Amino acid sequence: MKEGEDLEQKIKAVFAAQTLGREKAEEIAALYRKAGMEAIFRTETDFEQNRCFAEQEGMTHLLYFSDKEHITMVSFADEMGGFTVEILLSDLQLPKI
């Protein structure tokens, strides 16, 4: 990354959800898009299919909402091969608009 580049501009995320988290996932994806980041919302509810899609498309993250508060975040950007972590919506660093 070059000096002065904003890390947030490198985010390319897939947002997906189970039924209970769909509305919140769409809302957060819209915030990322409004901030100029690449954010795709998928209606597919299967976690593994979304993970495979995100990885094949070269995305940096998958944010999978189980409901309005619980998110499984997969990062493909880590130099060690990526990681998966369970987080709460309150843990999510939202983009500055």
Side-chain angles (χ1 to χ4, degrees):
M1 180 176 303
K2 295 178 184 173
E3 186 176 335
E5 282 187 1
D6 187 357
L7 180 60
E8 287 184 354
Q9 296 304 317
K10 298 293 181 186
I11 299 293
K12 293 171 41 177
V14 170
F15 291 80
Q18 293 178 4
T19 304
L20 293 175
R22 181 181 176 137
E23 185 177 318
K24 186 55 75 174
E26 286 182 289
E27 176 186 322
I28 301 298
L31 285 175
Y32 275 71
R33 282 193 298 274
K34 190 172 183 179
M37 294 177 229
E38 186 173 342
I40 297 170
F41 177 77
R42 287 182 37 101
T43 57
E44 172 59 56
T45 59
D46 183 75
F47 173 79
E48 191 58 31
Q49 287 186 22
N50 283 298
R51 189 197 64 74
C52 289
F53 172 83
E55 191 169 24
Q56 289 171 356
E57 294 297 313
M59 306 304 275
T60 59
H61 296 84
L62 165 63
L63 288 99
Y64 184 79
F65 289 66
S66 299
D67 56 31
K68 293 179 180 184
E69 293 294 323
H70 298 89
I71 304 166
T72 301
M73 183 181 79
V74 181
S75 174
F76 302 104
D78 185 81
E79 295 82 23
M80 301 299 287
F83 61 89
T84 300
V85 63
E86 300 291 328
I87 63 172
L88 296 174
L89 180 63
S90 60
D91 297 325
L92 193 59
Q93 185 176 7
L94 298 175
K96 296 176 180 94
I97 300 175

